[in-house]
Amino acid sequence: MLNDSYIEQSFRAKPEKLFYVKMALSVWVTCIGVLMFLFITPQLGMIIVVVGISLMVYAAGEGRMEYEYTLTNGNVDIAAIYNASRRRERMRFELEQVTMVVPKDSNRISHETFKKTRNYTSGYGREQEIALVVEMDGNKELILMEPDEKSLEHIKNYTKNKYYDI
């Protein structure tokens, strides 16, 4: 008898900071194009306006973002879904690689240094945010997640004796 476990959780997240940079850049390019169209050369100005609007439409596709956690037995896959149509894999790791699971603001990790910190939370703070310390290629990485109760129970089952204060 197999005891496979599969949990999928998705939730809406705030857009990444790069989204706002792309939108500001596209608005700036469009404004320059309009000014060029009105005061310098209408042909070049029109081309720059079209480029600016195209950049704006492209960047707007990343404005609606969701994270999806897929927990299959001891594997965790994290993906970002943009505009409900474009999916990008963000991270994949095994729960065997996790050395510690603590609340996001725990004192247990405040003194640690990590090669990389990856934030896969909604940014709204709806659920309990946890921090997973993952050993990858000999380096420690901090992964911030916002699992629901079922996902948290799954993580606890596969990281026995590695979670604290939860």
Side-chain angles (χ1 to χ4, degrees), residues 91-134:
M91 181 163 207
R92 175 175 285 162
F93 62 94
E94 294 183 22
L95 289 173
E96 292 174 355
Q97 297 172 290
V98 174
T99 59
M100 188 184 313
V101 180
V102 294
K104 177 184 168 186
D105 299 324
S106 176
N107 289 333
R108 292 182 188 268
I109 59 171
S110 61
H111 66 282
E112 300 266 347
T113 57
F114 301 102
K115 181 176 182 185
K116 197 172 222 182
T117 299
R118 300 173 190 242
N119 189 346
Y120 301 118
T121 63
S122 69
Y124 299 115
R126 290 183 288 234
E127 298 284 336
Q128 177 183 8
E129 295 181 5
I130 63 170
L132 287 86
V133 179
V134 179

Side-chain angles (χ1 to χ4, degrees), residues 48-124:
I48 293 176
V49 167
V50 169
V51 168
I53 291 173
S54 299
L55 288 172
M56 201 177 307
V57 169
Y58 174 75
E62 295 182 5
R64 185 163 174 246
M65 186 175 87
E66 299 176 5
Y67 279 122
E68 180 182 76
Y69 303 150
T70 305
L71 299 109
T72 309
N73 296 330
N75 297 324
V76 178
D77 295 322
I78 301 173
I81 302 170
Y82 298 101
N83 210 23
S85 62
R86 198 173 66 219
R87 177 187 180 92
R88 185 178 298 156
E89 294 293 325
R90 290 295 189 175
M91 181 163 207
R92 175 175 285 162
F93 62 94
E94 294 183 22
L95 289 173
E96 292 174 355
Q97 297 172 290
V98 174
T99 59
M100 188 184 313
V101 180
V102 294
K104 177 184 168 186
D105 299 324
S106 176
N107 289 333
R108 292 182 188 268
I109 59 171
S110 61
H111 66 282
E112 300 266 347
T113 57
F114 301 102
K115 181 176 182 185
K116 197 172 222 182
T117 299
R118 300 173 190 242
N119 189 346
Y120 301 118
T121 63
S122 69
Y124 299 115

